[in-house]
Amino acid sequence: EPFRIISGAVHYFRIVPQYWRDRLEKLKAMGANTVETYIPWNMHEPKKGQFVFDGLLDIRSFVLLAQELGLYVILRPGPYICAELEFGGLPAWLLRHKEMKLRCNDPLYLSKVRRYYEALFQQVSPFFAGNGGNILMVQIENEYGSYGDDKDYLQAVVDIYKDNQVSCLYFTSDGPTWYMLGGGTLDGYLATANFGSKGKENLSFLKAFRPDQPTMCCEFWNGWFDHWYEAHHVREGDDTAATFDEMLSCGGSVNFYMFHGGTNFGFTNGANYDGVYQPTVTSYDYDAPLSESGDMTGKYYEVKAVVEKHFGKIPEMDVANLPRRAYGTVTLTEAAPLRDNLDVLAPQVVKAPTPMTMEELGQDFGFVWYSSVLHGPCEKFPLVVDGIHDRAHIFLDGKLTAIWERCRPNDRTPVEIELKPGESVQIDILVENMGRVNYGKKLRDEKGITGGVYLERRCHFGWEMRSITCDDLSGLRYNPAAPVEGEPVFYRGTLQVDEAADTWVRLDGFKKGLVFVNGFNLGRYWNTAGPQKTLYLPGPLLHAGENELVVLELDGTDRLEITLTDTPDLG
């Protein structure tokens, strides 16, 4: 029977599970009949052979909930998904296989893909349409025509699907050009297109490419994501609604990317590379019809009106924006300098002649602390660090000398060293992984120091390294707090809550760092870069009574108060 898909992208892994029902009910109340989601390999298999399918990653429960609400599901399991997610959803441990070729018909790569898919599809197999479930479609790879043209690889992914009894419609999605569709599609499988404007023109092109198939915009870009150091992206609701109306008038099916963006919690944000490195911010609000906190925006209601224009009145549902609270000021009363807690955060010391990358150290996310001693004599020469991926604090004898950023390579304070006979200097370099590149030919993006450290042209050897993952902060040694400039410090305070509700953490006077709430990593703030100025704190992460707030300020602050407000500020 003819069936028109009206879908919205909702990424379960970017939303606390307690809010899945709220987001999906609002999707249905807008008139959608389907929910689409990517599936992040790097989160489901964070360590090789160790799979996670609970909590934030309980894909089975998410699909089951959609079924209970009468929503069909489109799954996009990759293995590569882009999604502005760290490494495009690929697990960082793949990079430890130097000989592995990514996203092609490489046997080693495909062996890891197969193992992952076997675990994943066990979770959702009862829900495939062929088994009577609500999963209508599963995507083959993701926008592959923008990356490669290895049809044998695409067929290998299909073969793995079939071996795992994935019984539903298979499809591809690519940009609406001969170049992209030509590289990313497979004969015999549905081809869809991704775009944000010119709905009639692009669907007509897709029809010309595949005249025997229905047309679908698999990613209708009704908003956009943000990078640090850039302006916040906004798309007007009437413009979104007009393009949507145009596509429906052409008989096309549509998936909103995004319907609800959510949040890049922790270290999960990705990055782009377009001549320069561009890390993505923590918020994935995307200026979507449903905001980061699940509010129904003006765009939401304009889209709903278009649905009703084409399909009639939508049955009323009891949906509403969730309560929010301004909890006020929290004073950070305790401090734990990072340097003084290296033995707690990273007790294992690795020694090597040259700096090792994060991947060589067996680490995926966080920071690496590099240490060495340079002995004199030497004339005044510049310190040179090749391959800072992505942001480095340079300390000489414990004093912060410079901060170098990969995304601003021409804005670096020079560091020079001059030593007399018998003199020496302690060099410490703290390097932060700001998110692996998630799109394009720079996908293989190793972290830490990827080259050497030089005094002018002379390579310096003899390094000690510590991996700082920030997975467990419970052992930090705190003292009474005082504002500190030029030294990374963990600050801790408590928030008394009578009733938990959504709120936003505002850190005026702080520069750059991370926020942890009851041990949960909310993500990065970077006030000196912008545009994002607040971090979304979902109510379910709080509980009645005393809540622990920890701020890792990397660049130094002149105050000890943060504010929990009821108003987001994305710039």
Side-chain angles (χ1 to χ4, degrees):
E1 298 176 3
F3 179 72
R4 192 92 72 95
I5 295 172
I6 306 299
S7 175
V10 178
H11 296 161
Y12 59 97
F13 51 91
R14 283 179 159 133
I15 311 162
V16 292
Q18 296 90 332
Y19 282 166
W20 287 349
R21 178 177 292 274
D22 173 78
R23 290 3 179 204
L24 292 181
E25 286 180 343
K26 289 170 179 172
L27 175 63
K28 186 172 183 179
M30 193 186 73
N33 52 35
T34 304
V35 59
E36 175 266 305
T37 185
Y38 278 128
I39 301 178
W41 182 7
N42 58 354
M43 298 175 75
H44 284 294
E45 192 181 2
K47 301 295 181 185
K48 188 187 300 185
Q50 299 178 14
F51 298 99
V52 181
F53 293 105
D54 58 6
L56 201 72
L57 298 171
D58 189 352
I59 177 65
R60 182 184 180 94
S61 293
F62 182 79
V63 174
L64 177 60
L65 177 58
Q67 186 179 61
E68 291 175 0
L69 294 174
L71 290 169
Y72 293 106
V73 175
I74 298 172
L75 293 185
R76 303 173 74 188
Y80 161 85
I81 64 172
C82 185
E84 289 70 60
L85 199 68
E86 226 272 349
F87 199 12
L90 296 173
W93 51 259
L94 291 176
L95 295 175
R96 292 167 208 160
H97 296 276
K98 298 287 188 180
E99 73 282 18
M100 179 185 289
K101 307 299 180 184
L102 303 173
R103 300 185 71 191
C104 66
N105 196 33
D106 176 76
L108 179 59
Y109 172 67
L110 284 170
S111 70
K112 310 305 179 187
V113 173
R114 179 177 290 275
R115 181 183 62 195
Y116 161 58
Y117 278 159
E118 288 172 351
L120 169 64
F121 292 137
Q122 285 178 12
Q123 298 293 316
V124 296
S125 61
F127 302 102
F128 292 128
N131 297 330
N134 59 324
I135 299 175
L136 290 183
M137 303 164 63
V138 173
Q139 181 175 273
I140 306 164
E141 240 275 354
N142 181 65
E143 292 187 319
Y144 188 66
S146 301
Y147 179 83
D149 57 6
D150 189 344
K151 304 289 185 170
D152 291 337
Y153 165 56
L154 296 180
Q155 185 59 53
V157 173
V158 168
D159 292 342
I160 297 173
Y161 286 177
K162 291 181 177 179
D163 290 344
N164 284 275
Q165 289 79 51
V166 177
S167 53
C168 61
L169 179 65
Y170 300 176
F171 74 100
T172 59
S173 67
D174 292 281
T177 69
W178 293 108
Y179 167 79
M180 294 179 184
L181 287 166
T185 57
L186 270 180
D187 291 341
Y189 297 97
L190 177 67
T192 68
N194 302 339
F195 51 86
S197 59
K198 300 179 181 178
K200 181 178 180 180
E201 177 182 329
N202 286 322
L203 288 182
S204 296
F205 183 87
L206 182 60
K207 194 67 176 177
F209 181 79
R210 287 285 174 84
D212 60 336
Q213 294 184 348
T215 57
M216 178 173 179
C217 177
C218 186
E219 288 188 14
F220 172 35
W221 304 323
N222 57 91
W224 205 246
F225 57 92
D226 295 337
H227 295 131
W228 298 111
Y229 284 117
E230 296 179 5
H232 174 53
H233 289 84
V234 175
R235 180 176 182 178
E236 297 302 323
D238 57 351
D239 181 48
T240 297
T243 302
F244 180 43
D245 187 18
E246 183 181 350
M247 287 188 283
L248 292 185
S249 298
C250 295
S253 291
V254 179
N255 175 55
F256 280 79
Y257 192 95
M258 298 291 297
F259 165 73
H260 169 59
T263 307
N264 293 315
F265 292 120
F267 297 120
T268 59
N269 69 278
N272 287 93
Y273 192 94
D274 185 15
V276 68
Y277 174 74
Q278 302 166 305
T280 303
V281 305
T282 299
S283 172
Y284 201 64
D285 176 85
Y286 214 87
D287 195 40
L290 214 63
S291 75
E292 182 179 12
S293 60
D295 283 354
M296 295 173 286
T297 67
K299 185 181 293 185
Y300 175 96
Y301 291 106
E302 293 189 67
V303 169
K304 181 176 180 178
V306 175
V307 175
E308 292 188 324
K309 171 185 173 182
H310 286 266
F311 301 103
K313 181 69 175 176
I314 300 168
E316 291 295 327
M317 293 181 63
D318 185 18
V319 293
N321 294 340
L322 296 174
R324 52 177 68 184
R325 291 283 298 273
Y327 291 105
T329 299
V330 173
T331 300
L332 305 173
T333 58
E334 298 175 287
L338 186 148
R339 181 190 298 273
D340 296 344
N341 285 273
L342 285 174
D343 60 326
V344 174
L345 295 165
Q348 182 179 2
V349 179
V350 177
K351 297 182 180 181
T354 58
M356 297 170 65
T357 65
M358 190 172 280
E359 292 74 19
E360 289 170 334
L361 291 168
Q363 180 184 355
D364 296 332
F365 309 114
F367 308 80
V368 179
W369 185 282
Y370 298 88
S371 295
S372 187
V373 176
L374 180 67
H375 298 281
C378 64
E379 297 83 357
K380 183 182 289 185
F381 282 117
L383 183 71
V384 179
V385 184
D386 278 351
I388 292 175
H389 286 199
D390 301 302
R391 193 170 189 264
H393 289 67
I394 315 292
F395 301 93
L396 298 182
D397 285 336
K399 181 180 179 181
L400 180 64
T401 307
I403 299 175
W404 292 347
E405 298 176 1
R406 182 184 178 193
C407 55
R408 294 166 73 88
N410 299 320
D411 189 19
R412 293 181 178 176
T413 302
V415 175
E416 294 182 319
I417 296 176
E418 181 179 13
L419 297 172
K420 297 176 181 178
E423 289 185 336
S424 62
V425 63
Q426 170 84 26
I427 303 174
D428 295 305
I429 306 174
L430 177 66
V431 181
E432 178 183 3
N433 168 6
M434 284 292 298
R436 290 179 180 83
V437 171
N438 57 252
Y439 182 84
K441 62 184 180 181
K442 297 288 187 179
L443 200 59
R444 197 175 191 103
D445 184 20
E446 295 179 328
K447 296 303 181 182
I449 296 176
T450 64
V453 179
Y454 301 83
L455 193 61
E456 216 270 333
R457 284 174 290 184
R458 190 183 79 189
C459 189
H460 176 62
F461 295 96
W463 290 89
E464 294 184 351
M465 289 147 284
R466 295 176 184 260
S467 297
I468 303 172
T469 62
C470 295
D471 292 337
D472 182 5
L473 306 182
S474 61
L476 291 176
R477 296 182 292 266
Y478 287 96
N479 294 304
V484 176
E485 290 284 351
E487 184 78 15
V489 177
F490 291 90
Y491 295 97
R492 184 167 67 176
T494 57
L495 169 67
Q496 290 291 336
V497 169
D498 54 356
E499 185 176 356
D502 287 357
T503 189
W504 284 262
V505 183
R506 190 172 188 100
L507 299 107
D508 294 336
F510 290 74
K511 297 174 183 174
K512 186 183 188 304
L514 298 160
V515 175
F516 302 83
V517 178
N518 294 323
F520 184 91
N521 187 344
L522 279 189
R524 311 174 204 265
Y525 66 90
W526 197 355
N527 292 334
T528 50
Q532 182 176 355
K533 296 295 185 182
T534 56
L535 288 177
Y536 172 52
L537 170 49
L541 296 179
L542 298 171
H543 52 252
E546 188 175 280
N547 295 265
E548 180 190 65
L549 300 183
V550 174
V551 177
L552 170 56
E553 169 57 45
L554 295 167
D555 296 356
T557 180
D558 61 359
R559 65 194 68 186
L560 294 174
E561 293 83 28
I562 62 175
T563 303
L564 274 67
T565 176
D566 59 2
T567 306
D569 184 354
L570 300 180

